[in-house]
């Protein structure tokens, strides 16, 4: 690793996480404000880091595993910050920031070499399709964190065991709202991501859809979230079920991102 | 010593039963009481606090013994108690224990339910009444402001007011964890018991939208419903109405279950899985324990709620220990201030401050003027010293002149503030909205 900007971003995220975790235990306002400031700074530095890479590479930096995961972490950060601006979910940061830092560590472990752009990727669809698809993951990751918090908090209330988490986690209602909002935004981005991918495929390979594993798995992911939203709006699948579905859906999304690239062969396999 | 001039006297829920306390209750007008107190000879500063759990006078006097006796006579004048009884039922603190007592009261460590915040508001009101009668001076002003800030420190640094300490508050707190905002939510009372009414009252103050009361006799249901601007139904209509409500509080005297799992299960689909919070405070129970197995239903019976309260209370007791430490610390700080509120330490502190500033500035200036001869350097030093001394001469003279004790205290307090001798950042908060 010899990219100081990236390492700086990673360090900032790690510090943010540490402060959020201490805040989670101590619950003092000053720590929370510190963590928020750190995260905001990390988000800004990360943006600069990605922009610098864009100019260095001469193309959208979304073509290697390192770049993809780093952009994923960036999306999560800004998705989280955009929510923070709209409404407050108590102690959400303590769950989101470790995931962001984890992603950044994975990105750091992947090779950060800048590759020449393969001919198949030389298209103005690249920035649109790839960034939308990954930004969708950013929001779906928030729903995933919210889902874990929901299941934990519901356990506390249902089994009347008021431990460490009960007072620190927000209300079930707040977590369910969070689930709904982030799934709706993530789902829309995912939909547009799949459509743009399909248009690009038509241009590059001559067919809109060819059941490549990545396509198949993103469709499966899409169907899971579509089912969740449909059931929520028609028969009221909310709360616990929505939380579980958000966790399952996110696992599928992660498999689409990684599993497919490593385990299955396909036309998308240049990403990796 | 100023410290011994501070005294606290009164009765509270620990020292006296309510029969005694109610005899001391002064007419609602606290300011009138303060006015009378002020008339007591020797009573330099005073303040009067009266709540349902305590009646208490805090006062400052140089003539301690006589004033204390007079205040005692005044406090118990209406009670008609013998001296021995007064001794048994009341408390009297002087000096450090009095300061400690006030801080413990304001931090809610002396309350019936430790950690309940109401006392701070009552304290502030009492202080406001006293200031309106001009009965407080330098010492009580500082002491009460400190009491408010101690309370604030305890509240922010410990979790003493954390969990609900009564069953109905525990129910409200749980409801908030399930529903978030309670605005727009609907509650149904099954049975018109007193405890259910109390819980409903708490819920209504939290913004509950509508109250439905179901009872065996419709008349009682209608009476209770009227209190909440709600509606009354018969017990037979309960199941049908369940679809519309979010919280159910059941407290009937029925020997059999009122709601069974299989009655409610089909409803959850109609409710589109909106959660249902069921509170069963009846013994024997009204609600089927198996209801808790259903998704999005949270059932609490009286024992569950009692457990919540017990856990919270022990939690508070733990937090109280760290609150006591804060109080101890602040009492020490206040005593330090009192000790310095004498002429001699203040003059020493001013001199020291002048000396420090003079030396610092001399060092800075002389460092840049190394071409000066030893004689010239001496002259510069003498100049600096004489400016500082002349500047401080008049304030110190003014401090030394004789005047009334209260005037002297004000002068000392002002001087200490002007010269920033107590290293406080900013002035104490104003009386009106002190603390917050």
């Amino acid at each position: 690793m010899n990219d100081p900007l990236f390492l700086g971003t990673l360090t900032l995220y790690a510090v943010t996480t540490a402060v959020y975790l201490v805040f989670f235990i101590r619950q003092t306002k000053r720590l929370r404000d510190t963590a928020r400031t750190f995260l905001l700074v990390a988000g800004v530095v990360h943006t600069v880091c990605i922009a610098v890479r864009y100019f260095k590479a001469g193309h959208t930096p979304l073509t290697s595993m390192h770049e993809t995961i780093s952009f994923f972490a960036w999306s999560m950060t800004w998705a989280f910050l955009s929510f923070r601006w709209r409404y407050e979910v108590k102690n959400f940061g303590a769950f989101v920031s470790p995931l962001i830092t984890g992603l950044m560590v994975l990105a750091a472990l992947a090779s950060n070499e800048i590759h020449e752009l393969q001919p198949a990727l030389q298209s103005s669809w690249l920035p649109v399709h790839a960034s939308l698809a990954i930004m969708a993951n950013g929001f779906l990751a928030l729903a995933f964190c919210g889902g874990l918090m929901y299941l934990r908090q519901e356990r506390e209330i249902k089994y009347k065991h008021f431990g460490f988490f009960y007072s620190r986690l927000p209300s079930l209602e707040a977590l369910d709202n969070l689930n709904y909002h982030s799934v709706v935004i993530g789902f829309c981005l995912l939909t547009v991501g799949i459509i743009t991918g399909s248009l690009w495929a038509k241009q590059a390979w001559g067919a809109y859809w060819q059941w490549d594993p990545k396509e198949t798995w993103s469709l499966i992911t899409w169907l899971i979230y579509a089912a969740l939203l449909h059931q929520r709006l028609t028969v009221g699948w909310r709360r616990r079920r929505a939380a579980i579905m958000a966790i399952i859906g996110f696992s599928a999304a992660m498999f689409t991102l990684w599993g497919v690239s490593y385990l299955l062969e396909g036309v998308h396999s240049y990403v990796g | 010593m100023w410290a011994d001039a501070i005294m606290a006297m009164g009765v509270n829920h620990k020292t006296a039963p309510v029969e005694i306390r109610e005899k001391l209750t002064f007419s609602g007008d606290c300011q009138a009481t303060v006015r009378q107190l002020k008339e007591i000879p020797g009573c330099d500063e005073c303040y009067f606090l009266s709540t349902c759990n305590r009646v208490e006078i805090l006062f400052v006097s140089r003539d301690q013994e006589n004033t204390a006796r007079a205040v005692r006579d005044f406090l118990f004048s209406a009670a008609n108690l013998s001296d021995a009884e007064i001794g048994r039922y009341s408390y009297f603190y002087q000096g450090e224990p009095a300061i400690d007592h006030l801080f413990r009261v304001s931090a809610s460590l002396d309350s019936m339910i430790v950690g309940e915040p109401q006392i701070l508001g009552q304290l502030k009101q009492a202080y406001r009444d006293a200031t309106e009668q001009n009965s407080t001076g330098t010492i009580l002003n500082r002491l009460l402001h400190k009491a408010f800030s101690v309370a604030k420190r305890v509240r922010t640094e410990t979790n003493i007011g954390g969990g609900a300490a009564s069953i109905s508050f525990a129910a409200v707190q749980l409801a908030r964890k399930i529903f978030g905002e309670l605005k727009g939510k609907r509650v149904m009372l099954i049975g018109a018991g007193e405890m259910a009414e109390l819980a409903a009252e708490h819920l209504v103050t939290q913004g509950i939208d509508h109250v439905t009361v179901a009872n065996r006799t419709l008349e009682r249901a209608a009476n209770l419903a009227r209190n909440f601007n709600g509606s009354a139904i018969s017990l037979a209509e309960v199941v049908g109405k369940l679809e519309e409500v979010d919280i159910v509080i059941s407290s009937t005297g029925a020997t059999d279950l009122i709601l069974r799992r299989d009655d409610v299960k089909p409803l959850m689909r109609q409710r589109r899985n909106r959660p249902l919070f069921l509170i069963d405070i009846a013994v024997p129970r009204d609600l089927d324990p198996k209801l808790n197995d259903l998704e999005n239903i949270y059932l609490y019976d009286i024992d569950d709620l009692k457990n919540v309260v017990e856990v919270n209370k022990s939690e508070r007791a733990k937090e109280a220990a760290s609150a006591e430490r804060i109080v101890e610390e602040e009492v020490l700080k206040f005593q330090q201030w009192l000790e310095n509120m004498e002429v001699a330490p203040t003059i020493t502190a001013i001199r020291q401050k002048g000396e420090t500033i003079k030396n610092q500035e001399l060092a800075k200036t002389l460092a840049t003027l190394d071409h000066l001869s030893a004689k010239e350097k001496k002259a510069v030093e003498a100049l600096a010293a004489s400016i500082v001394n002349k500047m401080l001469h008049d304030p110190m003279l003014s401090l030394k002149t004789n005047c009334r004790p209260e005037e002297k205290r004000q002068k000392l307090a002002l001087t200490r503030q002007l010269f920033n001798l107590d290293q406080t950042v900013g002035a104490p908060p104003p009386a009106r909205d002190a603390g917050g």
Side-chain angles (χ1 to χ4, degrees), chain A residues 64-128:
Chain A
S64 71
M65 202 38 111
H66 169 78
E67 291 166 346
T68 318
I69 304 175
S70 162
F71 188 74
F72 182 8
W74 179 88
S75 312
M76 246 187 109
T77 304
W78 286 101
F80 174 77
L81 289 171
S82 73
F83 270 109
R84 258 291 302 124
W85 172 68
R86 271 184 57 200
Y87 61 69
E88 188 149 356
V89 179
K90 196 178 168 196
N91 280 323
F92 193 32
F95 285 77
V96 172
S97 58
L99 191 53
I100 296 176
T101 309
L103 286 172
M104 289 300 279
V105 169
L106 284 182
L109 294 175
S111 152
N112 75 336
E113 242 174 276
I114 295 177
H115 298 280
E116 273 297 299
L117 204 54
Q118 294 178 30
L121 293 177
Q122 288 173 4
S123 160
S124 48
W125 283 114
L126 168 66
V128 181

Coordinates of all heavy atoms in Angstrom, one line a residue, chain A residues 64-128:
Chain A
S64 N -11.5 -2.4 -10.4 CA -10.8 -3.5 -9.7 C -11.5 -3.7 -8.4 O -12.3 -2.9 -7.9 CB -9.3 -3.1 -9.4 OG -9.3 -2.1 -8.5
M65 N -11.2 -4.8 -7.7 CA -11.8 -5.1 -6.4 C -11.5 -4.0 -5.4 O -12.4 -3.6 -4.7 CB -11.3 -6.5 -5.9 CG -12.1 -7.2 -4.9 SD -13.9 -7.1 -5.2 CE -14.3 -8.7 -5.7
H66 N -10.3 -3.6 -5.4 CA -9.9 -2.5 -4.5 C -10.8 -1.3 -4.7 O -11.4 -0.7 -3.8 CB -8.4 -2.1 -4.8 CG -8.0 -0.8 -4.1 ND1 -7.7 -0.8 -2.7 CD2 -7.9 0.5 -4.5 CE1 -7.4 0.5 -2.4 NE2 -7.5 1.2 -3.5
E67 N -11.0 -0.9 -6.0 CA -11.7 0.3 -6.2 C -13.2 0.1 -5.9 O -13.9 1.0 -5.4 CB -11.6 0.7 -7.7 CG -10.2 1.2 -8.1 CD -9.9 1.2 -9.6 OE1 -10.7 0.7 -10.3 OE2 -8.9 1.9 -9.9
T68 N -13.7 -1.1 -6.3 CA -15.1 -1.3 -6.0 C -15.5 -1.3 -4.6 O -16.4 -0.6 -4.1 CB -15.5 -2.7 -6.6 OG1 -14.8 -2.9 -7.8 CG2 -17.0 -2.8 -6.8
I69 N -14.7 -1.9 -3.7 CA -15.0 -2.0 -2.3 C -14.8 -0.6 -1.7 O -15.6 -0.2 -0.8 CB -14.1 -3.0 -1.6 CG1 -14.3 -4.4 -2.2 CG2 -14.5 -3.1 -0.1 CD1 -13.4 -5.4 -1.7
S70 N -13.8 0.1 -2.1 CA -13.6 1.4 -1.6 C -14.8 2.3 -1.9 O -15.3 3.1 -1.1 CB -12.3 2.0 -2.1 OG -12.2 3.4 -2.0
F71 N -15.3 2.2 -3.1 CA -16.4 3.0 -3.5 C -17.7 2.6 -2.7 O -18.5 3.4 -2.4 CB -16.7 2.9 -5.0 CG -17.7 3.8 -5.5 CD1 -17.4 5.2 -5.6 CD2 -19.0 3.4 -5.8 CE1 -18.4 6.1 -6.1 CE2 -20.0 4.3 -6.3 CZ -19.7 5.6 -6.4
F72 N -17.7 1.3 -2.5 CA -18.9 0.7 -1.7 C -18.8 1.4 -0.3 O -19.9 1.9 0.2 CB -18.7 -0.8 -1.6 CG -19.7 -1.5 -0.8 CD1 -20.9 -0.9 -0.4 CD2 -19.6 -2.9 -0.5 CE1 -21.9 -1.6 0.3 CE2 -20.6 -3.6 0.2 CZ -21.7 -2.9 0.6
A73 N -17.7 1.4 0.4 CA -17.5 2.1 1.7 C -17.9 3.5 1.6 O -18.6 4.1 2.5 CB -16.1 1.9 2.2
W74 N -17.5 4.2 0.5 CA -17.8 5.6 0.3 C -19.3 5.8 0.2 O -19.9 6.7 0.9 CB -17.1 6.1 -1.0 CG -17.4 7.5 -1.3 CD1 -16.7 8.6 -0.9 CD2 -18.4 8.0 -2.2 NE1 -17.2 9.7 -1.4 CE2 -18.3 9.4 -2.2 CE3 -19.5 7.4 -2.9 CZ2 -19.2 10.2 -2.9 CZ3 -20.3 8.2 -3.6 CH2 -20.2 9.6 -3.6
S75 N -20.0 4.9 -0.5 CA -21.4 5.0 -0.7 C -22.1 4.9 0.7 O -23.1 5.6 1.0 CB -22.0 3.9 -1.6 OG -21.3 3.9 -2.8
M76 N -21.6 3.9 1.5 CA -22.3 3.7 2.8 C -22.1 4.9 3.6 O -23.1 5.3 4.3 CB -21.6 2.5 3.4 CG -22.4 1.3 3.6 SD -21.6 0.1 4.6 CE -22.5 0.2 6.1
T77 N -20.9 5.5 3.6 CA -20.7 6.7 4.4 C -21.6 7.8 4.1 O -22.3 8.4 5.0 CB -19.2 7.2 4.2 OG1 -18.3 6.1 4.5 CG2 -18.9 8.4 5.1
W78 N -21.8 8.0 2.8 CA -22.6 9.2 2.4 C -24.1 8.8 2.5 O -24.9 9.7 2.8 CB -22.2 9.7 1.0 CG -20.9 10.5 1.1 CD1 -19.7 10.0 0.8 CD2 -20.7 11.8 1.7 NE1 -18.7 11.0 1.1 CE2 -19.4 12.0 1.7 CE3 -21.6 12.7 2.3 CZ2 -18.8 13.2 2.2 CZ3 -21.1 13.9 2.7 CH2 -19.7 14.1 2.7
A79 N -24.4 7.6 2.3 CA -25.8 7.2 2.6 C -26.1 7.5 4.1 O -27.2 8.0 4.4 CB -26.0 5.7 2.2
F80 N -25.2 7.0 4.9 CA -25.4 7.2 6.4 C -25.5 8.7 6.7 O -26.4 9.2 7.4 CB -24.3 6.6 7.1 CG -24.3 6.9 8.6 CD1 -25.2 6.2 9.4 CD2 -23.5 7.8 9.2 CE1 -25.2 6.4 10.8 CE2 -23.5 8.1 10.6 CZ -24.4 7.4 11.4
L81 N -24.6 9.5 6.1 CA -24.6 10.9 6.4 C -25.9 11.6 5.9 O -26.4 12.5 6.6 CB -23.3 11.6 5.9 CG -22.0 11.3 6.6 CD1 -20.8 11.8 5.8 CD2 -22.0 11.9 8.0
S82 N -26.3 11.1 4.8 CA -27.6 11.7 4.2 C -28.7 11.4 5.1 O -29.6 12.2 5.3 CB -27.8 11.3 2.8 OG -28.3 9.9 2.8
F83 N -28.7 10.2 5.8 CA -29.8 9.9 6.7 C -29.7 10.7 8.0 O -30.7 11.2 8.5 CB -29.8 8.4 7.1 CG -30.6 7.6 6.1 CD1 -30.0 6.7 5.2 CD2 -32.0 7.7 6.2 CE1 -30.7 6.0 4.4 CE2 -32.7 6.9 5.3 CZ -32.1 6.1 4.4
R84 N -28.5 10.9 8.4 CA -28.2 11.6 9.6 C -28.8 13.0 9.5 O -29.4 13.6 10.4 CB -26.7 11.8 9.9 CG -26.2 10.9 10.9 CD -26.6 11.2 12.3 NE -26.3 12.6 12.6 CZ -27.1 13.5 13.0 NH1 -28.4 13.2 13.2 NH2 -26.7 14.7 13.3
W85 N -28.7 13.5 8.3 CA -29.2 14.9 8.0 C -30.7 14.9 8.1 O -31.3 15.9 8.5 CB -28.7 15.3 6.7 CG -29.2 16.6 6.2 CD1 -29.0 17.9 6.7 CD2 -30.1 16.8 5.1 NE1 -29.7 18.8 6.0 CE2 -30.4 18.2 5.0 CE3 -30.7 15.9 4.2 CZ2 -31.2 18.7 4.1 CZ3 -31.6 16.5 3.2 CH2 -31.8 17.8 3.2
R86 N -31.3 13.9 7.7 CA -32.8 13.9 7.7 C -33.4 13.5 9.0 O -34.3 14.1 9.5 CB -33.3 12.9 6.6 CG -33.5 13.6 5.3 CD -34.1 12.7 4.2 NE -35.4 12.2 4.6 CZ -35.9 11.1 4.1 NH1 -35.3 10.4 3.2 NH2 -37.1 10.7 4.5
Y87 N -33.0 12.4 9.6 CA -33.5 12.1 10.9 C -32.5 11.3 11.7 O -31.6 10.7 11.1 CB -34.9 11.4 10.9 CG -34.9 10.1 10.2 CD1 -34.3 9.0 10.7 CD2 -35.6 10.0 9.0 CE1 -34.3 7.8 10.0 CE2 -35.7 8.8 8.3 CZ -35.0 7.7 8.8 OH -35.1 6.5 8.2
E88 N -32.7 11.2 13.0 CA -31.7 10.6 13.9 C -32.1 9.2 14.2 O -33.3 9.0 14.6 CB -31.6 11.5 15.1 CG -30.5 11.0 16.0 CD -29.9 12.2 16.7 OE1 -30.3 13.3 16.5 OE2 -29.0 11.9 17.5
V89 N -31.2 8.3 14.1 CA -31.5 6.9 14.6 C -30.4 6.7 15.6 O -29.2 6.6 15.3 CB -31.4 5.9 13.5 CG1 -31.6 4.5 14.1 CG2 -32.4 6.1 12.4
K90 N -30.8 6.5 16.9 CA -29.9 6.5 18.0 C -28.9 5.4 17.8 O -29.2 4.2 17.5 CB -30.8 6.2 19.3 CG -30.1 6.4 20.6 CD -31.1 6.1 21.7 CE -30.5 6.1 23.0 NZ -31.3 5.5 24.0
N91 N -27.6 5.7 18.0 CA -26.5 4.8 18.0 C -26.4 4.0 16.7 O -25.7 2.9 16.7 CB -26.7 3.8 19.2 CG -26.2 4.4 20.5 OD1 -25.2 5.2 20.5 ND2 -26.9 4.2 21.6
F92 N -26.9 4.5 15.6 CA -26.8 3.8 14.4 C -25.3 3.7 13.9 O -24.8 2.7 13.4 CB -27.6 4.5 13.3 CG -27.9 3.8 12.1 CD1 -28.0 2.4 12.1 CD2 -28.0 4.5 10.9 CE1 -28.2 1.7 10.9 CE2 -28.3 3.8 9.7 CZ -28.3 2.4 9.7
G93 N -24.6 4.8 14.2 CA -23.2 4.9 13.8 C -22.3 3.8 14.4 O -21.4 3.4 13.7
A94 N -22.7 3.3 15.6 CA -21.8 2.3 16.2 C -22.0 1.0 15.4 O -21.1 0.1 15.5 CB -22.3 2.1 17.6
F95 N -23.0 0.8 14.6 CA -23.2 -0.4 13.8 C -22.7 -0.2 12.4 O -22.2 -1.1 11.8 CB -24.7 -0.8 13.8 CG -25.1 -1.4 15.1 CD1 -25.4 -0.6 16.2 CD2 -25.2 -2.8 15.3 CE1 -25.7 -1.1 17.4 CE2 -25.6 -3.3 16.5 CZ -25.9 -2.5 17.6
V96 N -22.9 1.0 11.9 CA -22.5 1.3 10.5 C -21.0 1.4 10.4 O -20.4 0.9 9.4 CB -23.2 2.5 10.0 CG1 -22.7 2.9 8.6 CG2 -24.7 2.2 9.9
S97 N -20.4 2.2 11.3 CA -19.0 2.5 11.1 C -18.0 1.3 11.1 O -17.1 1.3 10.3 CB -18.5 3.6 12.1 OG -18.7 3.2 13.4
P98 N -18.3 0.3 12.0 CA -17.4 -0.9 11.9 C -17.5 -1.6 10.5 O -16.4 -2.0 10.0 CB -17.9 -1.8 13.0 CG -18.7 -1.0 13.9 CD -19.2 0.2 13.1
L99 N -18.7 -1.6 9.9 CA -18.8 -2.2 8.6 C -18.0 -1.4 7.6 O -17.3 -2.0 6.7 CB -20.3 -2.3 8.3 CG -20.7 -3.1 7.0 CD1 -20.1 -4.5 7.2 CD2 -22.2 -3.2 6.9
I100 N -18.1 -0.1 7.6 CA -17.4 0.7 6.7 C -15.9 0.5 6.8 O -15.2 0.2 5.8 CB -17.7 2.2 6.9 CG1 -19.2 2.5 6.7 CG2 -16.8 3.1 6.0 CD1 -19.6 4.0 7.0
T101 N -15.4 0.5 8.1 CA -14.0 0.3 8.3 C -13.6 -1.1 7.8 O -12.5 -1.3 7.2 CB -13.7 0.4 9.8 OG1 -14.2 1.6 10.2 CG2 -12.2 0.4 10.0
G102 N -14.4 -2.1 8.1 CA -14.2 -3.5 7.6 C -14.0 -3.5 6.1 O -13.1 -4.1 5.5
L103 N -14.9 -2.8 5.4 CA -14.8 -2.8 3.9 C -13.5 -2.1 3.5 O -12.8 -2.6 2.6 CB -16.0 -2.0 3.4 CG -17.3 -2.7 3.4 CD1 -18.4 -1.7 3.0 CD2 -17.3 -3.9 2.4
M104 N -13.1 -1.1 4.2 CA -11.9 -0.4 3.8 C -10.7 -1.3 4.0 O -9.7 -1.2 3.3 CB -11.8 0.9 4.6 CG -12.7 2.0 4.2 SD -12.6 2.5 2.5 CE -11.2 3.7 2.6
V105 N -10.7 -2.1 5.1 CA -9.6 -3.0 5.3 C -9.5 -4.0 4.2 O -8.5 -4.3 3.6 CB -9.8 -3.7 6.7 CG1 -8.8 -4.8 6.8 CG2 -9.6 -2.7 7.8
L106 N -10.7 -4.5 3.8 CA -10.7 -5.5 2.6 C -10.2 -4.8 1.4 O -9.4 -5.4 0.6 CB -12.2 -5.9 2.3 CG -12.8 -6.9 3.3 CD1 -14.2 -7.3 2.9 CD2 -11.9 -8.2 3.3
A107 N -10.6 -3.5 1.2 CA -10.1 -2.8 0.0 C -8.6 -2.7 0.1 O -7.8 -2.8 -0.9 CB -10.7 -1.4 -0.1
A108 N -8.1 -2.4 1.3 CA -6.6 -2.2 1.5 C -5.9 -3.5 1.2 O -4.7 -3.5 0.7 CB -6.3 -1.8 2.9
L109 N -6.5 -4.7 1.5 CA -5.9 -6.0 1.2 C -5.8 -6.3 -0.3 O -4.9 -7.0 -0.7 CB -6.6 -7.1 2.0 CG -6.5 -6.9 3.5 CD1 -7.3 -8.0 4.2 CD2 -5.1 -7.0 4.0
A110 N -6.8 -5.8 -1.0 CA -6.8 -6.1 -2.5 C -5.7 -5.2 -3.2 O -5.3 -4.1 -2.7 CB -8.2 -5.8 -3.0
S111 N -5.3 -5.7 -4.3 CA -4.2 -4.9 -5.0 C -4.8 -3.6 -5.5 O -5.9 -3.5 -6.0 CB -3.8 -5.7 -6.2 OG -3.3 -4.8 -7.3
N112 N -4.0 -2.5 -5.3 CA -4.5 -1.2 -5.7 C -3.8 -0.7 -6.9 O -3.8 0.5 -7.2 CB -4.3 -0.2 -4.5 CG -2.9 0.2 -4.4 OD1 -2.0 -0.5 -4.8 ND2 -2.7 1.4 -3.8
E113 N -3.3 -1.6 -7.7 CA -2.6 -1.3 -9.0 C -3.7 -0.7 -9.9 O -4.9 -1.1 -9.9 CB -2.1 -2.5 -9.6 CG -0.6 -2.5 -9.8 CD -0.1 -3.8 -10.4 OE1 0.1 -4.7 -9.5 OE2 -0.1 -3.9 -11.6
I114 N -3.2 0.3 -10.7 CA -4.2 0.9 -11.7 C -4.0 0.1 -13.0 O -2.9 0.0 -13.6 CB -3.9 2.4 -11.9 CG1 -4.2 3.1 -10.6 CG2 -4.7 2.9 -13.0 CD1 -3.9 4.6 -10.6
H115 N -5.1 -0.5 -13.5 CA -5.0 -1.3 -14.7 C -5.4 -0.4 -15.9 O -6.2 0.5 -15.8 CB -6.0 -2.5 -14.6 CG -5.6 -3.4 -13.6 ND1 -4.6 -4.4 -13.7 CD2 -6.1 -3.6 -12.3 CE1 -4.6 -5.1 -12.6 NE2 -5.5 -4.6 -11.7
E116 N -4.9 -0.8 -17.1 CA -5.4 -0.2 -18.3 C -6.8 -0.7 -18.4 O -7.2 -1.8 -18.1 CB -4.6 -0.8 -19.5 CG -3.3 0.0 -19.8 CD -3.7 1.4 -20.2 OE1 -4.4 1.6 -21.3 OE2 -3.2 2.4 -19.5
L117 N -7.6 0.2 -19.0 CA -9.1 -0.2 -19.1 C -9.2 -1.2 -20.3 O -8.7 -0.9 -21.4 CB -9.8 1.1 -19.4 CG -11.3 1.1 -19.1 CD1 -11.5 0.7 -17.6 CD2 -11.9 2.4 -19.3
Q118 N -9.8 -2.3 -20.0 CA -10.1 -3.3 -21.1 C -11.0 -2.7 -22.1 O -11.9 -1.9 -21.7 CB -10.7 -4.6 -20.5 CG -9.8 -5.3 -19.6 CD -10.5 -6.5 -19.0 OE1 -11.3 -7.1 -19.6 NE2 -10.1 -6.9 -17.8
P119 N -10.9 -3.1 -23.3 CA -11.7 -2.6 -24.4 C -13.2 -2.7 -24.1 O -14.0 -1.7 -24.3 CB -11.4 -3.4 -25.6 CG -10.1 -4.1 -25.3 CD -10.0 -4.1 -23.8
A120 N -13.6 -3.8 -23.5 CA -15.0 -4.0 -23.2 C -15.6 -3.0 -22.2 O -16.8 -2.7 -22.2 CB -15.3 -5.4 -22.6
L121 N -14.7 -2.4 -21.4 CA -15.2 -1.5 -20.4 C -15.1 0.0 -20.9 O -15.5 0.9 -20.1 CB -14.3 -1.7 -19.1 CG -14.5 -3.0 -18.4 CD1 -13.6 -3.0 -17.2 CD2 -16.0 -3.2 -17.9
Q122 N -14.5 0.2 -22.0 CA -14.4 1.6 -22.5 C -15.7 2.1 -23.0 O -16.0 2.0 -24.2 CB -13.3 1.6 -23.6 CG -11.9 1.4 -23.0 CD -10.8 1.4 -24.1 OE1 -11.1 1.5 -25.2 NE2 -9.6 1.1 -23.6
S123 N -16.5 2.5 -22.1 CA -17.8 3.0 -22.5 C -18.3 4.0 -21.4 O -17.9 4.0 -20.3 CB -18.8 1.8 -22.5 OG -20.1 2.3 -22.4
S124 N -19.1 5.0 -21.9 CA -19.6 5.9 -20.9 C -20.6 5.3 -20.0 O -21.1 5.9 -19.0 CB -20.2 7.2 -21.6 OG -21.0 6.7 -22.6
W125 N -21.0 4.1 -20.3 CA -21.9 3.4 -19.3 C -21.2 3.0 -18.0 O -21.9 2.8 -17.0 CB -22.5 2.1 -20.0 CG -23.5 2.3 -21.0 CD1 -23.5 2.1 -22.3 CD2 -24.9 2.8 -20.7 NE1 -24.7 2.4 -22.9 CE2 -25.5 2.9 -22.0 CE3 -25.5 3.2 -19.6 CZ2 -26.8 3.3 -22.1 CZ3 -26.8 3.7 -19.7 CH2 -27.5 3.7 -21.0
L126 N -19.9 2.8 -18.1 CA -19.2 2.3 -17.0 C -19.4 3.1 -15.7 O -19.9 2.5 -14.7 CB -17.7 2.2 -17.3 CG -16.8 2.0 -16.0 CD1 -17.0 0.6 -15.4 CD2 -15.3 2.1 -16.4
P127 N -19.2 4.4 -15.7 CA -19.4 5.2 -14.5 C -20.9 5.1 -14.0 O -21.2 4.9 -12.8 CB -19.0 6.6 -14.8 CG -19.0 6.7 -16.3 CD -18.6 5.3 -16.8
V128 N -21.8 5.1 -15.0 CA -23.2 5.1 -14.6 C -23.6 3.8 -14.0 O -24.1 3.7 -12.9 CB -24.1 5.4 -15.9 CG1 -25.6 5.5 -15.5 CG2 -23.7 6.7 -16.5

